[in-house]
């Protein structure tokens, strides 16, 4: 269960700002066929796998624009670990992520085959179309209740203290981008264990996430993610 929690926290960071741009959102790309690749690095700066995203469909649901993201996670040896998809919506100047859809279908299938009952609830991540230095962003959270053979396990993940710290230029493999630096703290609790992660995320208009660094509570670097490919 702890591995599941760590995975979910990592996945939330990975997809947190991987959005696209259309008439609804000036900040995040939302065009069918757009693709992104992010490379993850460990605390020593060594490659630790990649995540490839592709926007497979964009549709209208009333006044909301809904996009489906397909993703493939590959480990550092090039082995495909899983494929999944999730949805985001944009309405009235705000982008929202469906928390439940972030769980890979393969993982959900495995739990089902193990007779594990799972209930997921929470508050969607909300992201405004425009960012300003000093701006505070809404908190978000997710709760996962799992039950197997009479044993119950509960996990909560809270994303808090979300704020826009400054603007600066950032260079990664995919190019050089003018970015907003967004900082936040994520606290996960499961089976008596608490994991606190502080993150710096650099976002560019029309692209989304360009770079991310995650730190332990004591300030030590845990991992880094960078945009290595981008097309639309």
């Amino acid at each position: 269960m702890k591995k599941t929690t760590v995975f979910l926290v990592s996945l939330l960071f990975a997809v947190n700002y991987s959005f696209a741009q259309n008439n609804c959102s000036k900040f995040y790309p939302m065009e069918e066929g757009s693709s992104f690749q992010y490379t993850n690095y460990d605390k020593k700066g060594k490659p630790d796998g990649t995540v490839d995203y592709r926007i497979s469909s964009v549709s209208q649901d009333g006044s909301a624009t809904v996009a489906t993201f397909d993703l493939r996670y590959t480990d550092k040896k090039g082995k495909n670990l899983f494929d999944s998809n999730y949805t985001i919506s944009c309405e009235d100047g705000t982008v929202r992520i469906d928390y439940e859809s972030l769980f890979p279908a393969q993982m959900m299938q495995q739990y089902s085959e193990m007779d594990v009952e799972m209930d997921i609830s929470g508050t969607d991540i909300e992201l405004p179309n425009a960012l300003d230095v000093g701006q505070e962003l809404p908190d978000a959270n997710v709760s996962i209740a799992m039950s197997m053979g009479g044993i119950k396990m509960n996990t909560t993940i809270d994303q808090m203290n979300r704020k826009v710290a400054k603007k600066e230029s950032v260079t990664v493999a995919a190019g050089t981008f003018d970015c907003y630096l967004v900082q936040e703290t994520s606290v996960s609790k499961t089976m008596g264990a608490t994991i606190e992660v502080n993150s710096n995320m650099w976002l560019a208009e029309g692209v989304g996430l360009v770079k991310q660094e995650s730190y332990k509570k004591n300030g030590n670097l845990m991992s880094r993610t960078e945009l290595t490919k981008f097309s639309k």
Side-chain angles (χ1 to χ4, degrees):
M1 181 60 184
K2 184 176 180 180
K3 291 183 179 179
T4 300
T5 303
V6 173
F7 161 76
L8 181 57
V9 171
S10 301
L11 184 59
L12 287 175
F13 288 147
V15 304
N16 213 359
Y17 297 95
S18 304
F19 306 111
Q21 185 176 23
N22 69 349
N23 292 332
C24 177
S25 171
K26 82 177 182 87
F27 207 95
Y28 314 102
M30 218 161 182
E31 298 176 10
E32 190 171 315
S34 295
S35 61
F36 314 77
Q37 183 187 76
Y38 293 93
T39 299
N40 300 321
Y41 301 88
D42 64 20
K43 62 183 180 181
K44 295 182 179 180
K46 296 181 179 179
D48 196 31
T50 59
V51 185
D52 290 276
Y53 298 87
R54 181 180 179 275
I55 302 177
S56 58
S57 67
V58 178
S59 60
Q60 290 296 130
D61 183 6
S63 59
T65 301
V66 180
T68 298
F69 282 68
D70 295 337
L71 69 89
R72 168 165 289 190
Y73 192 91
T74 306
D75 68 12
K76 59 185 177 182
K77 295 182 179 180
K79 180 182 178 181
N80 177 30
L81 296 183
F82 64 83
D83 296 296
S84 188
N85 60 66
Y86 66 95
T87 60
I88 69 168
S89 63
C90 183
E91 185 176 14
D92 298 329
T94 300
V95 174
R96 295 179 175 86
I97 309 172
D98 175 9
Y99 257 120
E100 189 168 353
S101 71
L102 292 177
F103 275 87
Q106 292 179 2
M107 180 184 292
M108 298 296 288
Q109 179 64 30
Q110 289 177 355
Y111 283 141
S112 177
E113 293 174 353
M114 295 167 59
D115 293 326
V116 176
E117 297 181 2
M118 180 181 294
D119 181 59
I120 305 171
S121 61
T123 303
D124 292 342
I125 298 174
E126 294 186 0
L127 302 167
N129 289 336
L131 298 177
D132 295 304
V133 175
Q135 181 179 0
E136 295 184 357
L137 304 177
D139 292 345
N141 65 80
V142 62
S143 297
I144 307 123
M146 301 178 65
S147 177
M148 179 176 65
I151 300 175
K152 296 183 179 180
M153 295 173 287
N154 296 317
T155 298
T156 61
I157 302 173
D158 294 293
Q159 291 178 265
M160 60 189 73
N161 302 325
R162 304 172 67 218
K163 62 182 180 181
V164 183
K166 61 181 178 178
K167 291 184 69 176
E168 61 184 2
S169 179
V170 174
T171 299
V172 294
T176 299
F177 304 89
D178 292 327
C179 297
Y180 290 90
L181 170 59
V182 175
Q183 299 176 323
E184 70 175 40
T185 298
S186 176
V187 179
S188 63
K189 298 180 180 179
T190 182
M191 299 179 65
T194 299
I195 301 175
E196 180 173 317
V197 178
N198 297 308
S199 293
N200 292 332
M201 290 163 282
W202 287 265
L203 318 176
E205 292 190 14
V207 178
L209 180 68
V210 170
K211 180 181 177 181
Q212 172 204 316
E213 294 176 344
S214 299
Y215 297 85
K216 295 181 180 179
K217 187 178 180 179
N218 61 10
N220 291 338
L221 179 68
M222 295 174 60
S223 62
R224 185 178 86 252
T225 298
E226 293 186 0
L227 179 68
T228 44
K229 294 180 183 179
F230 170 65
S231 66
K232 62 178 181 178

